[in-house]
Amino acid sequence: MRKSTRADVLEIINTSKELGTYKEGSDQAKALYIYESELDTVARAEAGVKPLQPYLDAINGITSIEDMQTVMATTLGVSAPFAGIGAGPDLNNSKMNTCWVAPGGLGLQRDYYLEQDDKNKEIREKYKEHITRMLQFIDYSEADAKAAADVVLKLETQLAEPRFTKVESRDIRNMNNPKKVSELQEMAPSINWTKMMDDMGIEKDIDTIMVMQPKYMVAMNEFLNTTSIEDIKTLMTWRTLDDAAAYLTPEIEKANWEFYGKTLNGSKAMRPAEERALGTVNGTVGEAIGQLYVQAKFPPEAKEKAEEMIANVIKAFQIRIEKLDWMSPENKLKAIEKLDKFTLKIAYPDEWRDYSEMMVKEGNSYAENMLAVQAWAEKENLSEINEPIDKK
């Protein structure tokens, strides 16, 4: 079914492109621009790592933890494994979003750094080889790249150890740690959290923040106090390149896949380019393509029929509850009350997502388009802090 649907969507994209049915500046046009810019391997090869250079320059200019914090907060495209701030559901009030702070991303999952069996040791060595290979794309010599890979593995291991284990991360109660911003400041004073949020453009008045992993925040603070700024910059350079690899040159994209797709996940081959581009579109402006798919494949009367069918299922479920001989009348009422609160999501949303502020443009490089997506997504997410959750 997935293959069939994917083929249908590809046909819709290519047919609409040939017929010129995309309105300039529309969400569907933006989907096409992303799709085409990913497939334009000639332009991507010619651009090389130039799209990444402003972010590498920003990292190179860091001279202190204060600089690092400013670059993290204000330079979209720079990645850091230390901490991230964003909106998410309040675990103590399911109707509201709140502000969260969580560990930043690493190149591997936690266990790969810490387990001492032969398989994980082998993966760590291959990870260093991968880092060495990738850094040479941004003008590191082989010797410097090898030295940097050693630094990266050492530092990422330090940042991996205090994080949740897989078991701990499965228990949502471990993440329910609301703290005053002043308490977070005491926990991790190396970062000025109020300034960080101001620099990120968060305009909300934030008093409480959900600290996903308090133990990690304390360890991160110690890490920042005891690690040289040059090593921190090396780590930030690697994380920025690693995160951007998929939308740079085809050679870099393939090198990235050869480690993460082939070595780490056992994939036998890269998916065809059109399928990869469609996956990117689905993950960025998916509802724009969804509208075209619905128009072609799922008319309103089909949705109405499905909604009627589900309404009948719910009604039948209510009748079953009413006839249960083991449930008390009071609990039956509670069960039906819960049943009445189901939010039905059939086929497609009644209100489509609006991508009008996303600055994806015709003629942009693939990297530029993806950074525009990233900028839009971050702004959208941060705007949801302290706002009601949209149940739709």
Side-chain angles (χ1 to χ4, degrees):
M1 287 177 66
R2 187 181 298 115
K3 286 182 179 180
S4 174
T5 303
R6 194 160 54 211
D8 287 341
V9 176
L10 283 171
E11 182 181 358
I12 290 167
I13 290 177
N14 290 320
T15 301
S16 297
K17 172 185 169 184
E18 291 168 8
L19 297 176
T21 54
Y22 292 101
K23 182 180 177 182
E24 182 69 27
S26 67
D27 291 347
Q28 287 71 36
K30 290 174 183 177
L32 179 62
Y33 301 155
I34 292 171
Y35 180 77
E36 289 187 320
S37 64
E38 180 168 350
L39 291 178
D40 190 348
T41 54
V42 173
R44 290 172 60 185
E46 288 177 352
V49 295
K50 288 178 185 175
L52 205 62
Q53 199 58 52
Y55 315 113
L56 301 178
D57 291 344
I59 294 169
N60 193 49
I62 292 171
T63 61
S64 65
I65 294 298
E66 291 75 17
D67 288 348
M68 179 210 76
Q69 173 185 312
T70 300
V71 168
M72 280 174 56
T74 62
T75 314
L76 189 72
V78 168
S79 300
F82 313 118
I85 294 175
D90 187 336
L91 298 182
N92 301 300
N93 179 3
S94 63
K95 295 180 179 180
M96 294 294 294
N97 284 305
T98 190
C99 186
W100 283 75
V101 61
L106 300 176
L108 299 171
Q109 295 181 7
R110 179 182 184 274
D111 288 355
Y112 285 126
Y113 296 100
L114 303 175
E115 296 294 331
Q116 296 304 315
D117 58 278
D118 291 342
K119 181 63 176 176
N120 282 290
K121 288 179 180 178
E122 180 186 358
I123 287 172
R124 288 196 289 273
E125 287 304 311
K126 289 184 176 180
Y127 181 48
K128 286 200 296 182
E129 291 171 8
H130 173 63
I131 296 170
T132 300
R133 179 185 183 186
M134 295 293 283
L135 287 176
Q136 290 177 77
F137 287 117
I138 56 172
D139 294 331
Y140 274 64
S141 69
E142 184 177 0
D144 287 345
K146 283 183 177 181
D150 288 335
V151 169
V152 167
L153 183 63
K154 175 186 174 185
L155 299 186
E156 287 191 343
T157 302
Q158 287 179 243
L159 290 169
E161 196 282 328
R163 295 170 188 240
F164 282 160
T165 64
K166 286 181 180 178
V167 173
E168 289 170 334
S169 65
R170 290 184 188 126
D171 189 340
I172 193 69
R173 293 170 296 183
N174 290 331
M175 302 178 191
N176 191 3
N177 306 294
K179 304 287 182 184
K180 298 290 184 185
V181 175
S182 57
E183 293 177 297
L184 174 60
Q185 191 62 55
E186 291 178 9
M187 188 183 300
S190 290
I191 291 179
N192 183 331
W193 295 98
T194 300
K195 182 178 185 299
M196 181 92 157
M197 289 185 279
D198 288 344
D199 286 347
M200 290 177 70
I202 299 174
E203 299 175 352
K204 307 295 176 64
D205 183 17
I206 297 174
D207 177 60
T208 301
I209 191 164
M210 192 71 75
V211 180
M212 182 182 286
Q213 299 193 34
K215 175 186 172 184
Y216 170 83
M217 301 309 294
V218 173
M220 178 204 71
N221 189 74
E222 177 66 17
F223 174 93
L224 293 176
N225 284 334
T226 57
T227 304
S228 76
I229 199 68
E230 291 304 314
D231 282 355
I232 287 174
K233 288 161 63 175
T234 297
L235 182 55
M236 291 178 70
T237 297
W238 164 241
R239 293 284 349 113
T240 299
L241 172 61
D242 190 36
D243 284 353
Y247 54 76
L248 295 172
T249 71
E251 185 182 10
I252 293 174
E253 179 186 23
K254 186 177 181 182
N256 185 63
W257 172 83
E258 284 177 348
F259 176 72
Y260 286 109
K262 189 175 183 179
T263 300
L264 210 56
N265 293 326
S267 299
K268 301 298 183 184
M270 295 179 77
R271 285 186 298 147
E274 280 195 340
E275 289 188 14
R276 300 201 305 274
L278 176 59
T280 301
V281 170
N282 281 333
T284 54
V285 289
E287 288 192 17
I289 291 298
Q291 283 181 272
L292 295 176
Y293 182 81
V294 164
Q295 290 168 14
K297 300 291 182 181
F298 202 85
E301 53 267 28
K303 180 171 181 173
E304 291 171 9
K305 184 176 180 180
E307 287 174 336
E308 182 181 356
M309 189 186 304
I310 298 301
N312 286 335
V313 171
I314 289 175
K315 183 63 180 176
F317 196 49
Q318 179 177 334
I319 292 170
R320 287 188 179 191
I321 291 171
E322 290 168 346
K323 291 182 176 181
L324 291 174
D325 57 9
W326 54 266
M327 187 180 283
S328 70
E330 181 183 3
N331 281 343
K332 287 180 181 180
L333 288 175
K334 289 289 185 182
I336 292 169
E337 180 184 341
K338 185 173 184 179
L339 186 64
D340 288 340
K341 291 183 178 179
F342 267 50
T343 300
L344 298 185
K345 296 183 179 181
I346 307 297
Y348 55 88
D350 295 322
E351 294 179 20
W352 295 95
R353 178 161 282 188
D354 179 8
Y355 302 106
S356 59
E357 293 189 15
M358 184 185 288
M359 300 305 290
V360 167
K361 297 178 182 178
E362 187 173 19
N364 273 5
S365 69
Y366 181 36
E368 287 170 331
N369 280 334
M370 293 308 292
L371 285 165
V373 169
Q374 189 179 336
W376 176 85
E378 181 171 294
K379 184 177 179 181
E380 285 281 297
N381 177 260
L382 295 179
S383 72
E384 294 173 359
I385 292 173
N386 293 347
E387 295 294 326
I389 288 176
D390 183 356
K391 296 289 186 179
K392 299 189 296 298

